[in-house]
Amino acid sequence: MSPMKQTTHPPDHRSERAPAAAAPPRDSGAGTRRRPPSAQWAAWAFLAPVTLYLVLFYAYPLYRNIDLSLRHYTVRSFVQGDAPFTGIENYLTVFDDPAFAPALLHTVVFTAVCLVFQYAIGLALAVFFHQHFRLSATLRALFLVPWLLPLIVSASTWSWMLNSDSGVVNAFLNAFGVGPVNWLTSPDWSLTSVIIANIWIGVPFNLVVLYSGLQSIPAGLYEAAALDGANAWQRFWRITVPLLRPVSAITLLLGLIYTLKVFDIIWIMTRGGPADSSTTFATWSYQLGFGNLLPAFGPGAAVGNLLVVAALVFGLIYVRAQRKQALS
């Protein structure tokens, strides 16, 4: 009998114990944990007042104004809420109105002139008070008075000062041999009068914001420039203006939005007259909606929406410029 042939088999690796799979990492960070329901409710509770405020005082009035501009509202339909939908008819009515072009021109002139002078005077005063001389804080506080006064007080004061018969401005001019000027009753001077008053009111805001921006510029830059031989004018244009650009941008944007909607000053001083010589979109919108026996709610709302669109366009331009500056 032949011996049994002995065969060898390769080791069966399947019989070896496979290494244990790595255990999933333990969640040690709090960022991946789910918030408990109580924390979520607390977050919504803090957010609710702001959301409610924005909806009630911003979103809903804007929606109502857009709805007014797209319907034919009368006093009866305004109360009962059954105004027919007219689309863009109110906007076409506004564009075809003979008062549209003068109101647009006055709005552009009023806004541009006020912005330029408010910013220029505010920047000059901010640089002046940045020297930190004696009584600097006291004088800076006095310059805030026009900003702190109610607008009705400021407008009434300027109306009295610019009065043709008893105003102190004409009395001052008379002392130098200049005849009386009909500041508030002449079509040639009414727009100039409200521009002067609004510049006086807006300068303190520019002063405060620009002065805060100057405080953030390191003093060492001016010292190094002075050691390099730069004079005061060169230091202003090469250090102050470039480093103050972000603050200047937001100052001009806020000033633009405020100036576009100025109503109190113009209405109290001239009521948009005489002969609509100082009428802007803000006063024209009010006249259309509330200044007549038969109010035109739709066209008045349309004019107001044009102001909203103008402010929104400039706001988007500012945001786009800020993004480009951040990327560069």
Side-chain angles (χ1 to χ4, degrees):
M1 185 174 179
S2 60
M4 184 179 295
K5 193 174 183 180
Q6 188 174 5
T7 60
T8 59
H9 300 280
D12 189 0
H13 296 285
R14 291 176 298 177
S15 62
E16 297 181 0
R17 186 174 182 182
R26 297 181 63 184
D27 184 12
S28 59
T32 58
R33 296 177 183 173
R34 295 188 61 184
R35 291 182 179 179
S38 59
Q40 294 181 357
W41 282 110
W44 281 108
F46 280 107
L47 190 61
V50 178
T51 305
L52 185 63
Y53 174 80
L54 292 176
V55 170
L56 290 179
F57 296 100
Y58 287 90
Y60 180 72
L62 182 60
Y63 160 75
R64 287 293 298 159
N65 204 58
I66 295 175
D67 182 70
L68 279 172
S69 67
L70 298 177
R71 297 178 181 274
H72 179 66
Y73 272 96
T74 61
V75 176
R76 176 180 173 276
S77 60
F78 187 83
V79 175
Q80 298 182 353
D82 56 350
F85 182 80
T86 59
I88 62 172
E89 182 179 342
N90 290 321
Y91 292 91
L92 297 178
T93 302
V94 168
F95 293 145
D96 292 337
D97 196 308
F100 175 79
L104 176 61
L105 177 62
H106 298 158
T107 303
V108 173
V109 172
F110 178 81
T111 304
V113 175
C114 286
L115 277 182
V116 170
F117 279 92
Q118 286 175 353
Y119 178 81
I121 298 174
L123 180 59
L125 291 174
V127 173
F128 175 72
F129 286 119
H130 191 56
Q131 306 302 319
H132 300 292
F133 55 90
R134 183 177 297 181
L135 298 180
S136 173
T138 303
L139 294 176
R140 194 167 68 249
L142 291 177
F143 269 98
L144 295 179
V145 172
W147 193 29
L148 300 177
L149 288 175
L151 289 178
I152 188 172
V153 175
S154 301
S156 301
T157 302
W158 275 100
S159 297
W160 169 73
M161 292 174 58
L162 297 176
N163 187 275
S164 302
D165 300 324
S166 58
V168 296
V169 175
N170 277 348
F172 176 80
L173 295 177
N174 188 37
F176 291 91
V178 180
V181 178
N182 298 321
W183 295 99
L184 304 178
T185 57
S186 172
D188 299 329
W189 289 101
S190 60
L191 186 61
T192 303
S193 302
V194 295
I195 287 176
I196 293 174
N198 192 65
I199 291 174
W200 180 78
I201 294 172
V203 164
F205 171 77
N206 288 261
L207 167 61
V208 171
V209 179
L210 295 175
Y211 181 82
S212 301
L214 289 176
Q215 295 291 95
S216 63
I217 299 178
L221 295 178
Y222 294 101
E223 297 175 358
L227 292 177
D228 290 338
N231 56 32
W233 189 250
Q234 291 173 332
R235 292 196 298 269
F236 173 76
W237 281 108
R238 297 178 181 269
I239 297 177
T240 303
V241 173
L243 295 183
L244 206 61
R245 189 171 298 155
V247 179
S248 299
I250 190 62
T251 303
L252 291 173
L253 176 64
L254 295 177
L256 172 68
I257 295 175
Y258 167 79
T259 309
L260 279 174
K261 65 182 185 64
V262 166
F263 168 78
D264 315 68
I265 301 298
I266 302 175
W267 191 256
I268 294 173
M269 293 181 63
T270 64
R271 293 186 176 270
D276 295 334
S277 58
S278 59
T279 295
T280 61
F281 274 179
T283 58
W284 189 32
S285 176
Y286 179 83
Q287 288 174 345
L288 290 173
F290 305 99
N292 302 313
L293 294 177
L294 297 176
F297 294 116
V303 176
N305 286 333
L306 294 178
L307 287 176
V308 174
V309 171
L312 181 62
V313 167
F314 284 104
L316 293 177
I317 292 175
Y318 168 77
V319 172
R320 185 178 180 84
Q322 289 295 102
R323 287 181 179 178
K324 285 185 177 180
Q325 184 177 359
L327 293 176
S328 61

